[in-house]
Amino acid sequence: MRQILIKGRLLLLALVFMFIASACAKEVAKPTKEERISPPQSEASTNEKIKIGFSMDTLQEERWLRDRDLFKESVEALGAEVVIMAANGDDALQISQAETLISQGVDLLILVPHNAESTATIVHKAHLAGIKVIAYDRLVKNADIDLYVSFDNEKVGEMQAKAMTKLVPKGNYVFIGGAITDNNAHLLKKGVFNVLQPLIEKGDIKIVYDQWTKDWLPANALANMQSALKANGNQIDAVIAANDATAGGVIQALMEQGLAGKVPVAGQDAELAAAQRIVEGTQSMTVYKPIKALTDEAARLAVALAKGETVGEYQKVNNGKIEVPSFLLSPIAVDQLNIDDTIIADGFHSRQDVYKLSGE
């Protein structure tokens, strides 16, 4: 009987000891207030970079090479990374490349559409994957695009037309448009004719040739201008080209007829070749769009959206489906009188390159 009592007491003591030990362990493991509010994250989650996908139409023009390089610099300066793919004018390839970027798990997709209509499918696929899309410089039509960042392209056209009507208030005009698939080409043309139409109705200006340029290619602009000259017996007084690359094709056709420098030509983009032609007198003006300002703004907005942040005030542009939140920067008209104070002063091109100086 005594042995049974002793065993019972020992068992009771063991149970008490186990209870005390368990309580102490729980107190030690109990999280602090700070730990409950801000649980520690893994190193991977705290250090993971935002990844931006950049789907570009082409890299076959000087302008787009600048956009690519400056955008990459801007994104990386914000601590994010960018994956860049260019389709060189191939709609199917651009869609395929965008699908690749989406499958790689980019946090946001920036799109420079070759075809304003067909790239709507890219926006849809990105949204299905929970990825927001920014249209860069060119608007995507009929899609629920999240943001549009560009210059005021209608204003670009107005600047071109105002410069040309100041030089040639009356006469036969040729309009060499951009690619019909690019919404910017339509906005540009709208701006041009905002200025020209009253003069057309007045009878001061006659549009003797008006044609789109397939894929913005200078060779196609050259062929268009050759046709315009032939159809009008070289009786052309002014030409408005949709960009500097197409202006180059126009001026080549004028050279063939001994008319370069005699017929005023407008372009836009402030490409180096165009700046050189302005100095030489074969191109009358261009429209400078400070690309560094565009890439910096696009990068800022892309990283902010990817983080789920708000991006501030914006304008609205209708794309045929919705009023797209838009950030539109202001362009600058450039001719011989202000070329030094604009594109050269900004470092967009060096004075040595523009004036073809061997040394200073």
Side-chain angles (χ1 to χ4, degrees):
M1 183 69 177
R2 184 179 177 184
Q3 290 179 340
I4 293 173
L5 289 172
I6 292 171
K7 288 181 180 180
R9 288 173 181 172
L10 290 173
L11 180 60
L12 180 61
L13 287 170
L15 290 171
V16 170
F17 178 80
M18 289 174 64
F19 176 82
I20 293 171
S22 176
C24 290
K26 287 181 178 179
E27 184 65 26
V28 170
K30 185 178 180 182
T32 64
K33 180 180 179 182
E34 289 77 13
E35 288 174 326
R36 289 196 301 270
I37 295 173
S38 304
Q41 297 179 345
S42 69
E43 186 173 310
S45 63
T46 55
N47 294 336
E48 188 175 356
K49 283 187 175 181
I50 294 292
K51 183 188 290 186
I52 307 297
F54 194 16
S55 172
M56 303 186 71
D57 162 29
T58 183
L59 289 173
Q60 293 178 339
E61 295 176 23
E62 174 195 319
R63 182 265 159 95
W64 294 111
L65 292 170
R66 281 180 175 269
D67 285 80
R68 178 197 63 186
D69 296 343
L70 290 172
F71 181 73
K72 185 173 186 292
E73 289 177 11
S74 299
V75 168
E76 290 176 349
L78 293 171
E81 62 178 304
V82 60
V83 181
I84 303 169
M85 294 185 177
N88 292 329
D90 186 325
D91 292 341
L93 179 58
Q94 184 166 32
I95 292 171
S96 175
Q97 288 176 340
E99 289 173 341
T100 298
L101 292 170
I102 292 167
S103 68
Q104 289 178 353
V106 296
D107 297 293
L108 183 135
L109 183 63
I110 290 196
L111 180 61
V112 183
H114 171 255
N115 187 310
E117 298 284 351
S118 66
T119 44
T121 188
I122 293 175
V123 179
H124 178 66
K125 290 180 178 183
H127 283 173
L128 287 177
I131 298 169
K132 292 183 178 179
V133 183
I134 295 177
Y136 178 95
D137 196 62
R138 300 174 180 173
L139 187 62
V140 179
K141 300 285 286 182
N142 299 311
D144 293 314
I145 201 81
D146 296 284
L147 202 63
Y148 172 46
V149 187
S150 184
F151 290 92
D152 189 332
N153 292 291
E154 192 171 323
K155 189 173 182 180
V156 170
E158 290 174 352
M159 285 180 167
Q160 289 182 306
K162 286 177 181 177
M164 298 310 284
T165 54
K166 185 176 180 181
L167 291 171
V168 185
K170 297 182 179 182
N172 291 339
Y173 271 59
V174 167
F175 180 73
I176 303 294
I180 194 171
T181 55
D182 183 349
N183 187 65
N184 276 10
H186 293 270
L187 292 173
L188 184 82
K189 185 173 184 178
K190 184 175 186 293
V192 166
F193 281 87
N194 284 347
V195 175
L196 295 187
Q197 195 59 43
L199 298 173
I200 293 170
E201 293 172 359
K202 189 178 177 182
D204 289 345
I205 287 176
K206 181 179 180 182
I207 304 298
V208 296
Y209 189 89
D210 178 354
Q211 187 58 261
W212 301 104
T213 302
K214 182 175 172 56
D215 293 331
W216 293 93
L217 293 177
N220 293 332
L222 168 62
N224 282 339
M225 192 61 202
Q226 288 171 334
S227 297
L229 288 163
K230 184 177 180 180
N232 293 279
N234 287 356
Q235 299 303 304
I236 291 170
D237 300 300
V239 183
I240 298 176
N243 69 355
D244 288 336
T246 53
V250 166
I251 291 166
Q252 185 179 339
L254 291 171
M255 282 181 176
E256 293 171 355
Q257 301 299 318
L259 296 172
K262 298 178 181 178
V263 177
V265 178
Q268 61 120 351
D269 280 341
E271 289 190 352
L272 177 58
Q276 292 169 341
R277 291 192 297 263
I278 289 172
V279 168
E280 294 164 353
T282 56
Q283 183 168 327
S284 305
M285 64 86 68
T286 186
V287 179
Y288 170 43
K289 300 183 292 187
I291 296 174
K292 183 67 167 65
L294 179 64
T295 56
D296 283 350
E297 185 73 348
R300 179 188 73 81
L301 294 167
V303 172
L305 275 184
K307 291 180 177 179
E309 299 172 357
T310 56
V311 294
E313 298 296 324
Y314 46 75
Q315 299 168 253
K316 293 291 184 72
V317 175
N318 190 290
N319 74 343
K321 184 175 184 180
I322 65 168
E323 295 291 327
V324 183
S326 305
F327 286 76
L328 302 180
L329 287 69
S330 297
I332 303 166
V334 173
D335 57 19
Q336 282 188 349
L337 297 177
N338 70 345
I339 194 167
D340 285 17
D341 299 328
T342 52
I343 62 176
I344 292 175
D346 284 358
F348 191 72
H349 298 304
S350 72
R351 189 174 192 279
Q352 187 168 344
D353 287 342
V354 170
Y355 287 88
K356 297 183 180 180
L357 301 175
S358 57
E360 292 187 309

